[in-house]
Each structure stands twice: as structure tokens, then as C-alpha cells.
Amino acid sequence: MKKVVLVTGASSGIGLSIANYLHLQKKYIVYGTSRKINNSSNFSFNLIELDVTEKSSVQRCIAEILKKESKIDILINNAGVGITGPLEEIPTSEINKHFQTNVIGPILLIKQVLPFMKSSKNGVIINITSVAGQIATPFRSIYSGGKAALEIISETLAMEVRSFGIDVVSIAPGDFNTNISKRRFHSPVINTSDYKSYAESLKKMNLGVNKGSDPEKIAKLVSTILLKRRPRIRYRVGSFIEKNGIILKRILPQRIYEKLILKLFS
Ligand SMILES: NC(=O)c1ccc[n+]([C@@H]2O[C@H](COP(=O)([O-])OP(=O)(O)OC[C@H]3O[C@@H](n4cnc5c(N)ncnc54)[C@H](OP(=O)(O)O)[C@@H]3O)[C@@H](O)[C@H]2O)c1
């Protein structure tokens, strides 16, 4: 029997790659989401409407899938946005919006699918976090904070729901070539700002995404994880340095590590 997969934020980038890849495997019935579904016929999988910041939209999305399929086996919490800027200069309204999308949104989805996964004693929840949630770099405080929160939530939840036969996994990607840098909220570069290195740092962040890996790499990893009987809680995917940079953080003295990060990212 085919497994029913929900991939949030499947109109572009990583979500689109995952949804397409799983759809092609024929083992899954794939539902992807977007806030705009007027072009749904352009997608090979089922595209349904979802805004993760609206509880009623999350409820409608889950109800629609359950009405058609009577189950959801796999939730891939991928929808998300970026945000950059010196913490002091990012408008609080943008910070709230960011956490609503990248942290509260995935939680709303999890809360909706858990009752069904628990009753069927089966389920996989994959949260797309980020290497930025493990390695802090300047001018990404809010993004890193949100991803770190989602990562630790994944770890906690894994312990809470393991006895119901549900696996929770966090996949932390490095830089991948998607639309994220074009769509993210960039605090404006202010000429009179005290944070002189932000402009250069922003250029480097955008370049990192543009030169990033092909999102299909993440789709392949998701597909491999879904075949595992006992998946790990944490996976990192990206270049060698993105996957292993965390080791430097553990072994280098803090001051030297910070100098290295500042040299690379500002
Ligand atoms: N690209 C990277 O380098 C990278 C690295 C680490 C982690 N990530 C994470 O990977 C995930 C996907 O990002 P991406 O790089 O593929 O970016 P992307 O190309 O901009 O795609 C983002 C997706 O999220 C959806 N989305 C945004 N806000 C939403 C909302 N309020 N409700 C529902 N859907 C929403 C968008 O759908 P619509 O606009 O159609 O609604 C779109 O499908 C994000 O969680 C991101 O933080 C990306």
C-alpha cells in the first residue's frame, strides 16, 4: 500500500525537489503545498493550499488529505523563509513573522498529524532545519535561533512519540541553490549603521545560496531515510565543511573559532 506524504512548501526549491523525487518513485502518494495554488496543474504531485502561519489553513490542509486518503504516513515540515540583519536593526514585527513561519508553523502541522499517526502506530516526521541552527554566523541570529529551536524540538518530540511507532528526524542542510535568498527578509543596509560589515556579510550569504548544492541531494537523503527501519534523529547535508564545521566548533578554543567564522562570513 502506498504511503501518503505531505511536503510543506513544495512550490519551490528543496520542497519541490523532495515532492518530485518521491512522486517519481511511485511508492508514495505525494501532497505538496503552496500559499498559491492557481498554477497547480504545473506540478506532477497533488498541490494543495497551505499557509503555515494560519491555524485554520493548517487544519483545512490536513482535513483535505485525510478526506481523500484517510491517513498521513509522513510529514515533511519544509516550508520556511530566511531573514538577515543585525539583531538590533531587524524590525520586531519581522522577527515575530519569522518565528510564526519557521517554528510555530511546523509545530501546528505536527499537532494536527500526531493524533492520526498515534492511532495507526506509525509515522515519520521530518523537520528541515539548517546547519545555521548549529553553527552561528553574524547577521543570521533570528534564522539560526528558529532553526536551533526546531532542531531541539525535534529531538524532544522524538523521545515523546517513539513508543507510538513514530520517528522524528531533523535534516540540517548547508547552502542549497534555491529561491530562499531572493525571498527572505533582508534588513536594509543602512550607510550610517554601526554594523559596517553587514553589507559584505549579506553579499557572502546570498552568494553562498547561489553557489549552493543541488536540492536533489536532500531529496535523495529523504528517500533513503524513509527506507530505514530506525532512522537517526539528526542528519546534516551539504559540503564537507558544512557537514563537519561543527567539529571545529567543539575542538577549537572559542576565540580562535570566532575569528575563523568572522573571517569567513563578514
Ligand atoms: N536553501 C538553503 O540554502 C537552505 C539551507 C538550510 C535550510 N533551508 C530550509 O529549507 C526549507 C526550504 O527552503 P528553500 O531554500 O527551498 O526556499 P524557497 O525556494 O524559497 O522555498 C520556500 C518554500 O516555503 C514555502 N513557504 C514560505 N512561507 C510559507 C508560509 N507562510 N506558509 C506555507 N508555505 C510557505 C514557499 O511556498 P509558497 O511561497 O508557494 O507559499 C516555498 O515553497 C526552509 O525551511 C529553509 O529554511 C534552506
Side-chain angles (χ1 to χ4, degrees):
M1 201 154 125
K2 286 187 178 186
K3 296 212 164 180
V4 177
V5 190
L6 168 59
V7 184
T8 68
S11 63
S12 148
I14 294 169
L16 178 63
S17 265
I18 296 172
N20 274 334
Y21 196 83
L22 295 181
H23 172 77
L24 282 174
Q25 294 192 3
K26 313 259 180 240
K27 281 188 292 211
Y28 303 100
I29 300 170
V30 179
Y31 284 83
T33 76
S34 170
R35 283 165 295 180
K36 292 173 237 87
I37 53 161
N38 45 359
N39 57 349
S40 62
S41 53
N42 296 344
F43 294 84
S44 58
F45 47 86
N46 308 292
L47 189 75
I48 55 176
E49 194 173 342
L50 171 69
D51 182 338
V52 299
T53 63
E54 302 278 344
K55 189 175 171 193
S56 55
S57 173
V58 173
Q59 287 169 331
R60 266 198 312 277
C61 163
I62 300 298
E64 190 176 334
I65 301 173
L66 288 174
K67 194 172 165 203
K68 286 187 186 139
E69 312 295 343
S70 308
K71 62 173 190 163
I72 296 175
D73 298 293
I74 299 155
L75 164 65
I76 303 179
N77 259 326
N78 163 78
V81 289
I83 184 165
T84 69
L87 179 72
E88 189 186 345
E89 293 175 2
I90 305 176
T92 309
S93 56
E94 290 298 333
I95 296 175
N96 279 327
K97 226 158 80 184
H98 185 82
F99 279 103
Q100 283 296 328
T101 308
N102 280 23
V103 184
I104 309 295
I107 293 173
L108 292 180
L109 266 302
I110 291 168
K111 280 162 86 77
Q112 286 294 314
V113 298
L114 274 181
F116 302 95
M117 289 186 175
K118 270 162 52 200
S119 66
S120 60
K121 289 230 159 267
N122 160 61
V124 181
I125 296 171
I126 298 182
N127 293 321
I128 303 295
T129 57
S130 173
V131 164
Q134 300 168 17
I135 298 178
T137 56
F139 310 119
R140 266 213 286 213
S141 55
I142 301 306
Y143 183 72
S144 288
K147 290 300 186 182
L150 188 57
E151 173 132 358
I152 207 78
I153 287 167
S154 309
E155 200 176 319
T156 303
L157 184 67
M159 290 187 250
E160 290 177 5
V161 300
R162 174 105 50 227
S163 62
F164 301 112
I166 302 166
D167 290 313
V168 183
V169 170
S170 145
I171 298 181
D175 278 335
F176 278 80
N177 188 2
T178 70
N179 289 315
I180 195 163
S181 57
K182 287 176 219 115
R183 290 173 160 188
R184 68 184 157 201
F185 175 81
H186 297 121
S187 247
V189 173
I190 305 168
N191 290 338
T192 52
S193 168
D194 293 332
Y195 300 96
K196 300 290 177 222
S197 59
Y198 172 49
E200 187 55 31
S201 201
L202 182 56
K203 269 190 218 151
K204 285 185 179 170
M205 282 189 262
N206 290 340
L207 195 68
V209 170
N210 297 343
K211 285 181 154 183
S213 319
D214 183 340
E216 196 175 271
K217 204 169 171 178
I218 305 179
K220 285 182 179 158
L221 175 63
V222 167
S223 158
T224 309
I225 291 171
L226 292 179
L227 295 176
K228 287 188 187 292
R229 225 163 55 83
R230 286 210 187 106
R232 299 198 319 249
I233 292 177
R234 284 198 165 99
Y235 292 84
R236 276 193 289 271
V237 55
S239 66
F240 178 82
I241 188 73
E242 285 168 336
K243 282 198 291 183
N244 298 292
I246 193 84
I247 299 170
L248 289 180
K249 187 174 175 173
R250 286 197 199 113
I251 58 176
L252 287 178
Q254 169 66 29
R255 291 276 166 106
I256 295 176
Y257 174 76
E258 197 176 297
K259 263 192 186 162
L260 182 73
I261 291 286
L262 286 172
K263 200 170 156 65
L264 289 172
F265 292 96
S266 60

